[in-house]
């Protein structure tokens, strides 16, 4: 199968063209025939029925056999292409896509992570889909790939990027308020550039703050420049006085390190006044949590 279909686009595009072409031919044929009968047998020209034909076995065979063959052809063409989409080439590179409200995180075999999916040109890539919370959808229009990402269910897709470039990656399932911001991209690099990127050492923990905010989807609801979003902005947040509701009672707290940690790990403990309680709980390693808090301290 790998030798027959090198890319997912080669599996999907011919089927789409076949179905579109068949439907176009049927539409034109039915429409033209309908118009001809309306004009040819209009009441003003044929006020009384004159045909004595009771039936036509040939026509009945034709309009039964042709649709049957067409449907069987559609099924065969679609099924063989579907098998190609689900049969992963043996040399495919493995990547895990972690979906959460509302961001993507891609994990490679060497432990490297990225909010964008970097792939080498010309090599099949198998993306193993994991959801950390609700149902999401992994959608790559350029590669004709779309698959649900369901919590607790193993799933995967594969594709081949044949040319270098940047390709859109969307969440195709409504997953909450920040769904529209759950956008990433596939960055297809020549093999040498991809190998160099994959081998890059991560920056120091303290310098990873903004990257981690992107990784965990924080910047989908919070801004860094004071722009209002679904959640409060991070600009000027540290050491400021914040009005919250805790246990149903209003109070004012100082946005220090303790408050920031609580707001990230258990956002439902203290709801900021004027904002909806929609932020999900996060399980963040201590080193990354420390890096995020240190970054927010610098956003005064």
């Amino acid at each position: 199968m790998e030798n027959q279909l090198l890319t997912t686009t080669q599996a999907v595009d011919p089927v789409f063209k076949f179905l579109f072409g068949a439907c176009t031919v049927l539409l034109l044929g039915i429409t033209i025939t309908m118009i001809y009968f309306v004009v040819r047998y209009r009441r003003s020209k044929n006020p009384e029925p004159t045909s004595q034909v009771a039936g036509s076995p040939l026509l009945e065979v034709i309009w039964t056999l042709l649709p049957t063959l067409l449907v069987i052809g559609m099924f065969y063409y679609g099924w063989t292409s579907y098998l190609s989409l689900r049969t992963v080439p043996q040399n495919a590179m493995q990547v895990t896509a972690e979906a959460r409200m509302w961001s993507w995180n891609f994990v490679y075999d060497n432990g490297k992570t990225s909010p964008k999916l970097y792939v080498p040109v010309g090599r099949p890539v198998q993306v193993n889909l994991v959801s950390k919370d609700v149902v999401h959808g992994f959608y790559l229009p350029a590669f004709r790939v779309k698959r649900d990402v369901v919590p607790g269910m193993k799933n995967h897709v594969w594709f081949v990027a044949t040319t270098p470039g940047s390709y859109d990656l969307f969440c195709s399932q409504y997953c909450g308020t920040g769904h529209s911001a759950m956008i990433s991209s596939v960055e297809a690099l020549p093999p040498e550039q991809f190998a160099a990127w994959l081998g890059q050492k991560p920056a120091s923990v303290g310098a990873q703050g903004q990257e981690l905010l992107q990784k965990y989807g924080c910047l989908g609801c919070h801004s860094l420049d004071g722009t209002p979003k679904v959640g409060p902005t991070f600009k000027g947040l540290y050491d400021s006085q914040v009005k919250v509701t805790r246990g149903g009672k209003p109070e004012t707290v100082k946005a220090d390190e303790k408050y920031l940690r609580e707001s990230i790990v258990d956002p439902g403990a203290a709801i900021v006044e004027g904002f909806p309680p929609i932020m999900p709980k996060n399980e963040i390693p201590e080193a990354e949590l420390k890096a995020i808090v240190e970054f927010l301290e610098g956003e005064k």
Side-chain angles (χ1 to χ4, degrees):
M1 190 66 68
E2 180 184 348
N3 295 328
Q4 297 176 6
L5 291 173
L6 299 179
T7 67
T8 50
T9 55
Q10 288 177 308
V12 174
D13 285 0
V15 180
F16 174 81
K17 292 176 182 177
F18 171 67
L19 295 177
F20 184 81
C23 291
T24 301
V25 170
L26 288 173
L27 174 63
L28 292 176
I30 293 172
T31 303
I32 292 172
T33 302
M34 179 184 67
I35 294 174
Y36 170 76
F37 273 76
V38 168
V39 175
R40 174 67 176 81
Y41 298 106
R42 63 188 184 275
R43 182 178 293 274
S44 61
K45 189 173 182 179
N46 302 275
E48 298 294 336
T50 58
S51 176
Q52 303 298 319
V53 177
S56 174
L58 178 61
L59 284 177
E60 292 180 6
V61 170
I62 291 174
W63 68 49
T64 301
L65 186 60
L66 286 183
T68 302
L69 293 176
L70 180 61
V71 170
I72 292 175
M74 289 179 175
F75 172 79
Y76 174 79
Y77 213 1
W79 176 248
T80 54
S81 297
Y82 173 79
L83 290 180
S84 300
L85 294 175
R86 301 306 293 165
T87 304
V88 182
Q90 293 182 356
N91 65 330
M93 184 184 74
Q94 301 293 314
V95 183
T96 298
E98 297 178 341
R100 57 168 51 83
M101 296 187 290
W102 291 278
S103 67
W104 297 97
N105 181 47
F106 300 97
V107 184
Y108 295 80
D109 284 345
N110 66 348
K112 189 178 183 68
T113 63
S114 171
K116 295 182 179 182
L117 177 55
Y118 286 85
V119 300
V121 171
R123 181 179 176 184
V125 178
Q126 177 177 339
V127 184
N128 300 300
L129 307 174
V130 177
S131 173
K132 295 294 186 179
D133 37 48
V134 299
V135 177
H136 298 279
F138 185 84
Y139 181 33
L140 297 176
F143 303 106
R144 318 299 190 261
V145 169
K146 184 166 71 170
R147 202 75 180 171
D148 287 347
V149 189
V150 182
M153 187 178 84
K154 292 183 178 180
N155 215 339
H156 71 272
V157 297
W158 77 272
F159 65 94
V160 181
T162 56
T163 55
S166 181
Y167 306 91
D168 292 330
L169 191 163
F170 300 104
C171 175
S172 60
Q173 294 283 354
Y174 180 73
C175 53
T177 306
H179 165 71
S180 61
M182 194 169 172
I183 301 173
S184 186
S185 64
V186 173
E187 302 297 328
L189 306 176
E192 300 79 11
Q193 292 184 23
F194 174 79
W197 173 86
L198 190 63
Q200 286 178 352
K201 294 182 179 180
S204 62
V205 174
Q208 291 182 351
Q210 186 168 348
E211 182 179 338
L212 291 170
L213 290 175
Q214 181 70 44
K215 169 183 174 180
Y216 289 106
C218 306
L219 299 183
C221 296
H222 305 273
S223 70
L224 296 174
D225 58 3
T227 303
K229 286 190 173 183
V230 178
T233 182
F234 289 142
K235 183 177 180 61
L237 174 61
Y238 188 75
D239 267 349
S240 66
Q241 298 296 313
V242 181
K243 294 181 179 180
V244 301
T245 300
R246 187 188 300 275
K249 298 180 181 180
E251 61 178 77
T252 301
V253 298
K254 184 179 180 180
D256 54 13
E257 179 178 347
K258 179 181 178 181
Y259 168 78
L260 292 177
R261 283 176 169 270
E262 178 188 55
S263 297
I264 295 171
V265 177
D266 187 14
I271 307 301
V272 179
E273 183 179 291
F275 295 94
I278 60 173
M279 180 173 168
K281 288 188 176 183
N282 293 288
E283 296 181 4
I284 301 178
E286 173 58 29
E288 293 186 343
L289 181 60
K290 181 179 179 181
I292 291 175
V293 172
E294 288 178 356
F295 176 80
L296 294 179
E297 289 178 4
E299 292 298 300
K300 292 183 180 180

